[in-house]
Amino acid sequence: MDNLNVSVLGYGMMGVIRSLAYRGVVGYFKNAPIQPVLGYASCWNDGEKAMAERDGWKAIVGPDASKEVIAKADTDYVDICLPNAAHYAAAMAAFDAGKHVFCEKPLSANLEQGREMADKADACKGQLNSVNFIYRRVPANVYARKLARSGKFGRLIEARMFYNQGWGWGADGSWRFEKSHG
């Protein structure tokens, strides 16, 4: 089994969740071809740094922490868990550095950036690049799809669903939607 040195950019809720996933992947997938090795975490503050260190990461705090993590020779794979507006710059820097990229959604702040990121990822032959769509595997969502496909409701023409969270669209003051982070 080969080691893959993983570093995470941003250590809020998703960074913590990724820590659990990386530590558990080999136990769950018995024939996993890779062993994720926790590397560096770019943190926005001392609170995130303390959590990252608790979870086994080498934490770095500062205005250029993400750039520093991407530049590390022992970072193979960059997991982007930053505020939405910061995804583009981090992913483009990671592509340029020859790193594998796993980006939290939304991919970018606008369609133009998203297309540029996709084109850059396509040009990075041999690099793994993907976007996280974790909610599609949430049990409630899987069950809703199963019900819709079962025909229990007849022939569906349209379905509208909402995942209500206090920090989502329309939540005043959420840092996730501030343009200043990009």
Side-chain angles (χ1 to χ4, degrees):
M1 181 180 311
D2 293 332
N3 286 343
L4 183 67
N5 297 309
V6 177
S7 291
V8 65
L9 306 183
Y11 209 79
M13 177 192 70
M14 288 312 299
V16 173
I17 289 174
R18 294 299 208 291
S19 294
L20 295 168
Y22 290 126
R23 287 194 308 264
V25 72
V26 175
Y28 185 79
F29 296 103
K30 301 297 182 199
N31 297 319
I34 60 164
Q35 166 72 49
V37 176
L38 302 186
Y40 300 90
S42 71
C43 303
W44 289 61
N45 56 51
D46 289 333
E48 286 187 1
K49 180 181 182 193
M51 288 190 305
E53 289 173 343
R54 171 203 69 198
D55 293 339
W57 300 87
K58 295 173 255 182
I60 300 170
V61 174
D64 292 325
S66 293
K67 291 177 186 174
E68 187 177 338
V69 166
I70 291 167
K72 295 284 186 183
D74 56 346
T75 292
D76 301 319
Y77 183 90
V78 176
D79 187 340
I80 302 172
C81 299
L82 295 165
N84 299 345
H87 292 181
Y88 171 81
M92 296 303 273
F95 293 144
D96 288 341
K99 311 297 179 168
H100 303 294
V101 176
F102 184 59
C103 189
E104 187 55 49
K105 66 192 166 328
L107 182 61
S108 63
N110 60 55
L111 182 60
E112 181 180 320
Q113 287 181 347
R115 284 186 172 147
E116 190 176 341
M117 291 167 76
D119 290 344
K120 186 77 162 188
D122 286 344
C124 294
K125 301 301 180 205
Q127 286 175 238
L128 304 173
N129 301 294
S130 63
V131 180
N132 180 34
F133 290 104
I134 195 167
Y135 291 136
R136 63 191 315 189
R137 299 291 178 230
V138 170
N141 295 343
V142 172
Y143 182 65
R145 183 173 188 212
K146 182 179 174 182
L147 280 176
R149 287 189 155 186
S150 74
K152 182 175 181 125
F153 304 113
R155 183 173 166 254
L156 283 179
I157 305 297
E158 179 179 346
R160 293 182 188 209
M161 295 173 220
F162 298 90
Y163 185 74
N164 295 321
Q165 297 183 90
W167 55 262
W169 298 109
D172 294 332
S174 178
W175 57 265
R176 289 173 176 84
F177 306 106
E178 291 178 12
K179 292 184 183 207
S180 63
H181 292 297

